[in-house]
Amino acid sequence: MKKSSAITAVHGRQVWDSRGRPTVEAEVRLASGHVGRGMAPAGASKGRHEALELRDGGSAFGGLGVTQAVANVDGAIAAALRGADGLDRDAVDRLLIAADGTPNKVRLGANACIAVSMAVAHAAAAHEGVALHALLAGERVCVIPLPEIQIFGGGAHAGRRIDIQDLMVVCPGAASFAEALAWTAEIYGAAGEIMGERGQLAGVADEGGFWPAFESNEAALATLTQAIEKAGYRPVEQVGIALDIAASEFGRDGRYKLALEGRTLDRQDLVTLLMDWVGRFPILSLEDPLGEDDGEGFALLMAQCGTSLQIVGDDLLVSDSARVREAAVLGLANTVLLKPNQRGTLLEVRQAWETAQAAGMSGIVSARSGETEDVTIAHLAVGWGVPQLKVGSFSRSERMAKWNEVLRIAEALGPDVAFAGAGALKQG
Ligand code: PGA
Ligand code: ZN
């Protein structure tokens, strides 16, 4: 007989995120007595097509209160889920989707929904007595993802000090996740030393990367390349650069305004600039290189380098199955960024990943700039077999908690567990 355990209680509470802003935590209890918990993260450079994060508005906390979202967890969501089988996670997520009844969680809030969806998954794992990644993987072989780690923050995460939002490293030359972290620690340290020597050290940005006290976007790229070399690694072969351009933040209708350089580019100019950077710096991956509604620009870039370079859609795809399918057909990107709160249920985000895989695209599970100590995404990447994980930088415990959780998971899976490694960045 199929196992089951009814949901007996769903409870929401307001807690605080890494930026000191209110966020939603949900707790779900099963008849078996097992409890699971989930916390909603929050973005700063959000895609226009993301599911809605329900905020109170008004004057308290700059309008960012979550009183209504928390009330929705205790009210409409609890009413819809009570009595449902907590072990049938997809069915519970469908109940959440139905209780909201809108395409973008406008009624209940994606922050309320995702906290509950994650809490249900944790409760089910506790009931089964297994780690969440193992529950999610089922019969599938778990893969340890290649980490993508920020060294310099920028864009909306650093007062728009530079245009590029994330300057990150990936370590295709590393033999294991643990080794990739160790290399990144050396590079992060080297970057800090270089900034210190130049008198440019000015704390860190939202995700823990060094504050980008640079005169130009290119100076940031040059400094990151220097840090990789100073730490003793061979660019491209061992360690490459991954950029999140987050172009929707400074461009619309195919026109892009580079504030730092004081010039406006059309989509062709931006593609030319990016290709110039790719030629001169060890860049292996570009996220949101063009604006979220500039499909034409994405297609232009993909036609030039889509078989040799990773082109990631974040604001473009918003973890949405239908948008991923369309992007695959039109050739707009070869990799989808997967952020659970962009949709509001784990089911929908997993479906976006399945759609991407079916279309031959790759994926990266990602944190948000506003994070918490919740480590669910580490389990999602491993359990769903997504080959990359993006969590922000190599400092601040809301980031380190996730990196450290993957270390524990890898250890639990044993020395023979597969590491996505360099293969994660191969196209086609
Ligand atoms: P966000 O940034 O969480 O502020 O959206 C992260 C990203 O763009 O990948
Ligand atoms: Zn992004």
Side-chain angles (χ1 to χ4, degrees), residues 214-296:
F214 298 110
E215 294 314 310
S216 66
N217 292 299
E218 284 195 27
L221 284 163
T223 305
L224 181 51
T225 309
Q226 229 185 315
I228 293 169
E229 287 168 344
K230 181 177 162 81
Y233 301 103
R234 291 188 297 281
V236 177
E237 194 191 328
Q238 288 184 299
V239 180
I241 293 177
L243 300 179
D244 184 357
I245 304 294
S248 309
E249 291 291 312
F250 57 85
R252 63 180 54 214
D253 303 326
R255 306 277 301 164
Y256 298 91
K257 206 162 178 275
L258 292 178
L260 192 53
E261 297 169 22
R263 37 184 194 139
T264 300
L265 308 179
D266 65 20
R267 65 170 63 89
Q268 179 60 65
D269 295 335
L270 181 56
V271 167
T272 303
L273 176 68
L274 293 171
M275 292 308 294
D276 175 56
W277 287 349
V278 167
R280 290 163 48 218
F281 301 102
I283 296 168
L284 301 178
S285 175
L286 292 175
E287 179 180 330
D288 284 346
L290 293 122
E292 59 200 339
D293 288 330
D294 190 1
E296 218 177 300

Side-chain angles (χ1 to χ4, degrees), residues 81-316:
L81 266 48
R82 221 174 282 124
D85 177 12
L87 304 189
D88 192 347
R89 290 168 286 114
D90 287 358
V92 174
D93 279 349
R94 280 189 208 98
L95 287 174
L96 272 171
I97 293 164
D100 176 79
T102 72
N104 270 340
K105 311 287 183 303
V106 170
R107 204 169 86 80
L108 299 176
N111 44 353
C113 293
I114 196 60
V116 172
S117 182
M118 296 197 300
V120 170
H122 283 288
H127 177 99
E128 301 285 359
V130 297
L132 179 57
H133 65 86
L135 182 74
L136 298 171
E139 303 292 302
R140 198 185 311 114
V141 177
C142 286
V143 178
I144 302 298
L146 177 70
E148 188 181 55
I149 307 182
Q150 188 192 76
I151 306 297
F152 296 110
H157 302 158
R160 298 181 201 283
R161 185 65 185 71
I162 59 172
D163 301 295
I164 303 172
Q165 180 182 282
D166 294 311
L167 289 106
M168 301 171 283
V169 292
V170 283
C171 301
S176 67
F177 185 86
E179 187 165 65
L181 292 195
W183 290 11
T184 304
E186 305 276 20
I187 295 162
Y188 187 73
E193 281 172 26
I194 294 171
M195 298 301 273
E197 283 161 14
R198 294 182 190 159
Q200 291 177 322
L201 206 48
V204 299
D206 261 7
E207 300 190 5
F210 291 111
W211 187 263
F214 298 110
E215 294 314 310
S216 66
N217 292 299
E218 284 195 27
L221 284 163
T223 305
L224 181 51
T225 309
Q226 229 185 315
I228 293 169
E229 287 168 344
K230 181 177 162 81
Y233 301 103
R234 291 188 297 281
V236 177
E237 194 191 328
Q238 288 184 299
V239 180
I241 293 177
L243 300 179
D244 184 357
I245 304 294
S248 309
E249 291 291 312
F250 57 85
R252 63 180 54 214
D253 303 326
R255 306 277 301 164
Y256 298 91
K257 206 162 178 275
L258 292 178
L260 192 53
E261 297 169 22
R263 37 184 194 139
T264 300
L265 308 179
D266 65 20
R267 65 170 63 89
Q268 179 60 65
D269 295 335
L270 181 56
V271 167
T272 303
L273 176 68
L274 293 171
M275 292 308 294
D276 175 56
W277 287 349
V278 167
R280 290 163 48 218
F281 301 102
I283 296 168
L284 301 178
S285 175
L286 292 175
E287 179 180 330
D288 284 346
L290 293 122
E292 59 200 339
D293 288 330
D294 190 1
E296 218 177 300
F298 269 96
L300 211 59
L301 186 67
M302 273 290 283
Q304 287 196 24
C305 63
T307 54
S308 58
L309 200 66
Q310 181 172 62
I311 305 295
V312 187
D314 171 14
D315 295 347
L316 176 77

Side-chain angles (χ1 to χ4, degrees), residues 19 42-47 50 156-157 165-166 168 206-207 244 246 249 287-288 314-315 337 339 341-342 366-371 390 399:
R19 285 191 274 243
S45 66
K46 287 186 281 188
E50 290 189 23
H157 302 158
Q165 180 182 282
D166 294 311
M168 301 171 283
D206 261 7
E207 300 190 5
D244 184 357
E249 291 291 312
E287 179 180 330
D288 284 346
D314 171 14
D315 295 347
L337 202 76
K339 290 170 163 170
N341 74 325
Q342 280 182 330
S366 173
R368 301 305 306 246
S369 50
E371 266 295 332
K390 173 185 178 186
R399 314 289 153 187

